[in-house]
Amino acid sequence: MESFGKRLEAATGCLLGTAVGDALGLPCEGLSRRRQLRMFPAIDRYHLVFGKGMCSDDTDHACMVAQAVVASGGNPRRFASSLAWRLRFWLLGLPAGVGWATLRSILKLWLFFPPQFSGVRSAGNGPAMRTALLGICFAHDDAALIQHVAAATGLTHRDPKAESGALAVALAARSSMRGESTDDYLAHLRRFLAPLGEAGRELMSLAERAGASAARGEPTTAFADSFGCTRAVSGYMYHSVPAVLHAWFSFPRDLPRALQAAIRCGGDTDTIAAITGAIVGARVGKSGIPDAWLANLWDWPRGVRWMELVAERAVEASSQQRGASTLYLPPWSLFLRNLGFLVIVLAHGFRRLAPPY
């Protein structure tokens, strides 16, 4: 079993890696590979607003999962209830980006559907962006890990592919923290996916192909080509997660190169980069993230220090199996932040109407 210090370092790197990946990938979201390369020849700094980076729903969801772990202390039912309420109030803050499946599920939660019935039939990548931290908090307990991933997924997505992808990400973060090889990870993944039937077998095949491709030194874009994502990687779970795994397999200890590999695939770049950042961040910790990226991360009312604190409380709560008080964020501050973020995103969208094409 990993020491508290090791899990704390991994959890901190996981949340901060999510945030910097999200912020780096956000300006490129929705762009084809060709247009992205013309607009952003270098992916070594933030491009959203005057060299500053802001985070989208990917980081929001990862932080909500961390808060729910703190509140529930390892109890899956309490975790699901806590995360459900956080999702409800998150929607009231008018976030700029909400997936269609997530929106429908949260509306069902507001209509008082219980968490186990709020999810909709969707294989989008939403659950994968929030489960990496669970692989670290419950690294010592396979049953608790599976239960928490299932709860985090089922709140919004009921398709077995969604749970398979979310579980693959949580296990990747755990293996990354432990410094395990690609073969070790694939062996764990095979065991965990076996009960999920055809959906599990399909993802297992894609993960094995990603491992083989990375071992041959092929770029992540070439691997994405092999399963039909020649212009961009979509938000479909079985497009996003294989691309993420390939980027991680290729650069398990190099966060900047892993994120560049993920972002250059095009398409849903903020989510793909956020998940990649979470997994690689679990290995390299805060010290493996460029100082400039952390210094220029502009995500009030959350920030680097806030994420460090919530990561620490999540690891403590899951270790002690006792719930604790969560970090307070004034609802009005999130609402104001989201309004400002929406204006910036719209301005960035209008910028795309101009060359280079």
Side-chain angles (χ1 to χ4, degrees):
M1 180 176 173
E2 291 73 25
S3 67
F4 177 84
K6 184 176 181 65
R7 290 169 63 209
L8 175 57
E9 180 184 13
T12 302
C14 180
L15 278 186
L16 294 178
T18 299
V20 299
D22 186 5
L24 281 167
L26 183 61
C28 304
E29 184 182 15
L31 295 175
S32 68
R33 293 183 198 169
R34 180 172 174 270
R35 180 91 193 277
Q36 179 202 121
L37 192 60
R38 290 190 173 191
M39 291 188 70
F40 306 111
I43 308 287
D44 56 359
R45 62 183 180 85
Y46 300 128
H47 292 280
L48 188 67
V49 51
F50 304 115
K52 300 293 183 181
M54 296 184 72
C55 301
S56 69
D57 58 329
D58 305 288
T59 305
D60 290 346
H61 282 236
C63 289
M64 284 190 285
V65 162
Q67 291 272 63
V69 170
V70 175
S72 60
N75 183 307
R77 180 168 293 185
R78 289 179 58 195
F79 169 79
S81 177
S82 177
L83 183 56
W85 278 109
R86 293 176 196 285
L87 287 168
R88 288 182 179 101
F89 285 104
W90 173 75
L91 184 63
L92 292 185
L94 302 180
V98 185
W100 178 232
T102 299
L103 174 62
R104 286 181 290 159
S105 299
I106 298 176
L107 291 176
K108 289 174 70 175
L109 287 170
W110 272 118
L111 293 173
F112 296 101
F113 280 74
Q116 62 268 32
F117 297 116
S118 60
V120 299
R121 190 78 174 183
S122 171
N125 60 15
M129 68 192 186
R130 57 179 179 252
T131 54
L133 185 69
L134 298 174
I136 297 166
C137 289
F138 302 102
H140 57 289
D141 187 337
D142 288 357
L145 173 55
I146 292 170
Q147 290 171 338
H148 281 78
V149 169
T153 302
L155 278 169
T156 55
H157 295 66
R158 306 301 298 183
D159 193 299
K161 292 182 179 181
E163 184 174 350
S164 297
L167 189 55
V169 169
L171 289 173
R174 185 178 77 169
S175 286
S176 183
M177 172 182 66
R178 292 174 172 174
E180 294 177 336
S181 68
T182 297
D183 288 341
D184 288 337
Y185 167 73
L186 291 174
H188 294 309
L189 185 63
R190 188 176 296 107
R191 176 167 58 89
F192 276 75
L193 291 182
L196 294 174
E198 181 58 33
R201 288 190 292 272
E202 183 178 351
L203 182 57
M204 191 66 231
S205 174
L206 288 166
E208 289 172 340
R209 286 170 54 191
S213 174
R216 292 192 296 268
E218 296 174 354
T220 304
T221 50
F223 174 64
D225 290 345
S226 74
F227 55 83
C229 295
T230 55
R231 295 185 69 255
V233 172
S234 75
Y236 173 49
M237 185 69 86
Y238 282 14
H239 288 167
S240 300
V241 170
V244 165
L245 294 179
H246 190 282
W248 168 49
F249 293 154
S250 300
F251 306 106
R253 301 181 184 181
D254 191 333
L255 182 65
R257 293 182 72 188
L259 290 178
Q260 182 173 6
I263 292 169
R264 285 306 186 202
C265 289
D268 195 9
T269 50
D270 59 333
T271 298
I272 296 167
I275 301 169
T276 303
I279 295 170
V280 180
R283 175 69 176 271
V284 303
K286 181 183 178 183
S287 62
I289 302 174
D291 291 339
W293 290 1
L294 295 175
N296 289 306
L297 190 63
W298 187 34
D299 202 44
W300 179 86
R302 286 187 295 261
V304 171
R305 183 55 185 155
W306 188 93
M307 292 182 205
E308 290 180 288
L309 288 174
V310 78
E312 180 178 0
R313 291 196 185 187
V315 173
E316 286 178 349
S318 58
S319 299
Q320 299 171 2
Q321 296 188 333
R322 185 174 65 247
S325 58
T326 57
L327 296 180
Y328 177 68
L329 286 173
W332 60 266
S333 65
L334 292 173
F335 177 72
L336 290 178
R337 183 264 179 201
N338 288 338
L339 285 181
F341 178 68
L342 178 60
V343 171
I344 292 170
V345 168
L346 289 175
H348 195 78
F350 282 115
R351 160 65 186 86
R352 294 185 180 187
L353 299 177
Y357 297 113

